């Protein structure tokens, strides 16, 4: 039996994004070795040439995903917000604060939707707030252990990353 989400999920972004890490093997998804993140996705926007940036890719603003709005995939309660972590310079990663600017939403089914790497000071929700599916959470950024602007998204069965187990996430509509 696959441990998959019970809550109906919509994509947490608009337009077309690309999953660059996601899947069940180490070759497809380096997250598989972390029990909580084993079903995680790293998602960004690429152009027809396969590039994730428009100019020389030296600044966060060059990247298509940077500053794009991110949305609640379902109704739920915001159980964790971390904001105020500076966005990385391209090519540098913050190893101290892995998630960077973070939002975690608890669903009615006790699933925890984890968003990492929001843009600094862009998060629009607060701890304890009820959110509705499609509500804007903030903007995609490059904070935390992130090599370039992208969304890290995964589901887990508890709030604590050190004890939680990842849940396979299926979206209602693609």
């Amino acid at each position: 039996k696959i441990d998959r989400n019970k809550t109906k999920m919509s994509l947490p972004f608009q337009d077309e994004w690309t999953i660059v890490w996601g899947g069940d093997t180490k070759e497809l998804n380096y997250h598989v070795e972390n029990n909580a993140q084993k079903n995680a996705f790293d998602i960004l926007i690429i152009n027809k040439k396969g590039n994730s940036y428009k100019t020389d890719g030296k600044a966060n603003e060059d990247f298509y995903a940077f500053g794009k709005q991110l949305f609640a995939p379902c109704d739920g309660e915001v159980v964790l917000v971390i904001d105020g972590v500076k966005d990385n310079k391209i090519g540098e990663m913050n190893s101290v604060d892995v998630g960077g600017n973070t939002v975690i939403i608890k669903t009615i089914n006790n699933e925890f939707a984890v968003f990492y790497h929001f843009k600094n000071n862009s998060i629009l929700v607060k701890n304890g707030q009820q959110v509705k599916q499609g509500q804007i959470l903030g903007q995609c950024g490059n904070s935390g252990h992130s090599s370039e602007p992208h969304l890290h998204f995964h589901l887990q069965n508890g709030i604590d990353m050190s004890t939680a187990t990842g849940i396979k996430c299926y979206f209602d509509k693609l």
Side-chain angles (χ1 to χ4, degrees):
K1 173 187 169 303
I2 296 173
D3 195 14
R4 64 161 287 170
N5 54 305
K6 293 174 183 65
T7 309
K8 285 190 179 231
M9 298 275 167
S10 62
L11 290 171
F13 48 81
Q14 291 176 330
D15 304 319
E16 189 173 314
W17 290 52
T18 300
I19 294 173
V20 289
W21 289 105
D24 298 329
T25 65
K26 199 164 61 178
E27 293 72 35
L28 295 173
N29 191 359
Y30 72 92
H31 300 102
V32 297
E33 297 187 328
N34 179 301
N35 199 39
Q37 296 184 47
K38 66 182 181 175
N39 299 297
F41 302 111
D42 280 347
I43 314 168
L44 45 77
I45 300 172
I46 57 173
N47 64 18
K48 287 181 177 56
K49 290 186 200 150
N51 293 332
S52 54
Y53 50 88
K54 32 187 179 268
T55 51
D56 59 8
K58 293 214 179 352
N60 284 316
E61 291 73 19
D62 294 342
F63 287 77
Y64 297 114
F66 191 74
K68 290 283 191 218
Q69 292 180 327
L70 299 174
F71 302 89
C74 59
D75 296 353
E77 178 189 352
V78 177
V79 293
L80 181 70
V81 171
I82 298 170
D83 204 353
V85 179
K86 282 194 268 193
D87 285 290
N88 302 327
K89 290 188 173 102
I90 298 302
E92 295 177 15
M93 295 207 278
N94 178 343
S95 304
V96 176
D97 194 341
V98 176
N101 300 308
T102 300
V103 171
I104 300 179
I105 298 171
K106 180 181 176 186
T107 73
I108 194 166
N109 295 306
N110 244 14
E111 298 158 331
F112 294 79
V114 179
F115 290 78
Y116 285 161
H117 314 313
F118 280 90
K119 183 178 174 184
N120 188 22
N121 294 319
S122 77
I123 296 175
L124 302 173
V125 294
K126 304 266 182 266
N127 273 322
Q129 182 178 340
Q130 295 295 320
V131 292
K132 290 278 179 214
Q133 186 176 51
Q135 184 173 337
I136 300 170
L137 301 175
Q139 296 173 11
C140 185
N142 189 26
S143 60
H145 194 70
S146 171
S147 55
E148 68 178 81
H150 75 284
L151 167 62
H152 169 105
F153 176 81
H154 75 269
L155 294 177
Q156 58 190 41
N157 67 357
I159 192 169
D160 184 348
M161 184 77 70
S162 61
T163 57
T165 299
I167 299 170
K168 206 175 251 306
C169 181
Y170 292 86
F171 296 102
D172 241 22
K173 281 187 280 199
L174 294 179

